[in-house]
Amino acid sequence: MTIFNEIFQNQCINFSFAGLLMSTLIYWYSIIFSNQLKLSLGFILTILSNISLSIMLGLRWFTSGYFPLSNLYESLIFLTWGLTCIHLIIEYKTKSQLVGAIAAPVAMFTIAFASLSLPSDMKKAVPLVPALKSNWLMMHVSVMMISYSTLILGSLLAILFLVLSKGKEINLQGSSININNKSNSYNEIELTNTRLTLLESIDNLSYRIIGLGFPLLTIGIIAGAVWANKAWGSYWSWDPKETWALITWLVFAAYLHSRITKSWQGKKPAILASIGFIVVWICYLGVNFLGKGLHSYGWFA
């Protein structure tokens, strides 16, 4: 990789970070002051940041000769790209600035961590180890990273639901909203109809986003199992990454099961989704920082 390519890639990262920082501030300003006119500017800045990341990933793919998902730096950039993509799609469909208000700062901190915290030798494109020289690299890892992006965003909305509801038991059932609180009387609950409608919207949006991310996670795990059999002769070896991927799958399966079969809404499934937020990050980063296994090469040994 030439010096020019490295400089240009760094400039793309810096531009994306600046765009996401400004986008975050605009979204927060819009929510605090209820200024809907600022929404489009934050959306446009996120688009520009996503385009910049796309250029960076495309250039790295062209110069290195393989899909840029072989180490922690590349995967963090791709995760940021995935977060901005999912954010843009959902905001375009829902016209909700809340999505941008929670997605933009997470994407900003992710790219900041990749750019500022990782040592320079981990940012360099290096030849792939034999096990990674496969088309399954793009098919498995890209699907997993997009599923992480989707599940993280859905879980963040669930956390937002818990924050706005102040931990109260709020059961949302269709168009009617029932409020139950064992420690306080009904008259002590100071939630307006507008706020209840907002909570219902957040709860439903979180459910729909997680409902999108879960099939992607399932496909990614299955693709990884097939790739593992081709590379190492075994579909499943209880590697730390595989184990935590299964735990992640079980947590979100429990969330969707509670929503579909038990018709849970409100606080209980939101707590499950919040746990899922932590589990996703452990599966993605924690295993590679603390654990050792087949998935630790190219990252932290």
Side-chain angles (χ1 to χ4, degrees):
M1 183 183 298
T2 64
I3 298 298
F4 173 78
N5 284 335
E6 291 182 0
I7 294 175
F8 186 76
Q9 288 184 26
N10 289 333
Q11 291 302 317
C12 288
I13 297 299
N14 293 336
F15 178 84
S16 298
F17 173 77
L20 290 170
L21 174 60
M22 295 175 63
S23 177
T24 298
L25 295 175
I26 290 171
Y27 279 120
W28 288 357
Y29 176 87
S30 300
I31 291 176
I32 293 173
F33 296 101
S34 300
N35 190 340
Q36 297 292 336
L37 296 177
K38 300 295 182 180
L39 178 60
S40 59
L41 181 56
F43 187 81
I44 291 172
L45 285 172
T46 305
I47 292 177
L48 294 177
S49 297
N50 181 269
I51 293 174
S52 181
L53 291 174
S54 300
I55 294 172
M56 183 271 180
L57 289 170
L59 181 61
R60 196 174 182 92
W61 189 357
F62 177 77
T63 55
S64 63
Y66 58 83
F67 195 71
L69 274 175
S70 65
N71 58 35
L72 181 58
Y73 176 73
E74 292 171 349
S75 70
L76 283 167
I77 300 302
F78 191 86
L79 179 66
T80 307
W81 179 86
L83 284 168
T84 53
C85 272
I86 300 299
H87 157 206
L88 291 171
I89 293 171
I90 294 173
E91 183 176 341
Y92 177 78
K93 292 292 185 180
T94 63
K95 310 300 181 183
S96 173
Q97 60 185 342
L98 282 174
V99 177
I102 62 174
V106 173
M108 179 190 67
F109 283 119
T110 302
I111 197 172
F113 175 73
S115 180
L116 302 176
S117 299
L118 297 182
S120 57
D121 59 336
M122 290 191 64
K123 300 178 183 179
K124 297 179 180 179
V126 296
L128 295 177
V129 298
L132 291 180
K133 294 180 180 179
S134 170
N135 290 330
W136 287 100
L137 172 64
M138 180 174 64
M139 297 170 65
H140 163 61
V141 184
S142 62
V143 174
M144 290 296 293
M145 298 306 299
I146 294 174
S147 73
Y148 289 161
S149 302
T150 309
L151 293 173
I152 286 171
L153 184 53
S155 299
L156 281 171
L157 286 169
I159 294 173
L160 178 63
F161 176 90
L162 293 175
V163 172
L164 294 180
S165 64
K166 299 179 180 179
K168 293 182 173 64
E169 185 67 36
I170 300 178
N171 299 320
L172 310 174
Q173 300 176 352
S175 60
S176 63
I177 302 176
N178 300 323
I179 305 175
N180 300 313
N181 193 301
K182 296 180 179 179
S183 61
N184 297 294
S185 66
Y186 179 84
N187 292 331
E188 292 175 330
I189 299 177
E190 299 177 353
L191 295 176
T192 64
N193 291 331
T194 301
R195 189 176 181 186
L196 290 173
T197 303
L198 175 62
L199 289 173
E200 185 177 26
S201 300
I202 293 173
D203 181 70
N204 290 331
L205 185 58
S206 174
Y207 171 51
R208 290 161 59 188
I209 294 174
I210 292 175
L212 172 65
F214 182 75
L216 293 173
L217 178 64
T218 304
I219 294 171
I221 291 175
I222 293 173
V226 175
W227 185 17
N229 184 60
K230 289 182 176 293
W232 300 307
S234 174
Y235 287 100
W236 197 269
S237 59
W238 294 105
D239 178 77
K241 176 73 76 173
E242 295 173 352
T243 303
W244 277 98
L246 177 60
I247 293 173
T248 304
W249 188 90
L250 290 173
V251 169
F252 286 105
Y255 169 85
L256 293 175
H257 175 77
S258 68
R259 294 291 305 239
I260 296 172
T261 63
K262 294 188 176 182
S263 299
W264 282 5
Q265 291 179 295
K267 181 180 178 181
K268 291 180 180 179
I271 292 175
L272 273 176
S274 301
I275 294 172
F277 176 80
I278 299 173
V279 172
V280 167
W281 282 109
I282 293 176
C283 179
Y284 173 53
L285 286 181
V287 171
N288 298 97
F289 282 128
L290 304 176
K292 293 183 179 180
L294 296 172
H295 291 78
S296 293
Y297 47 71
W299 293 16
F300 281 100

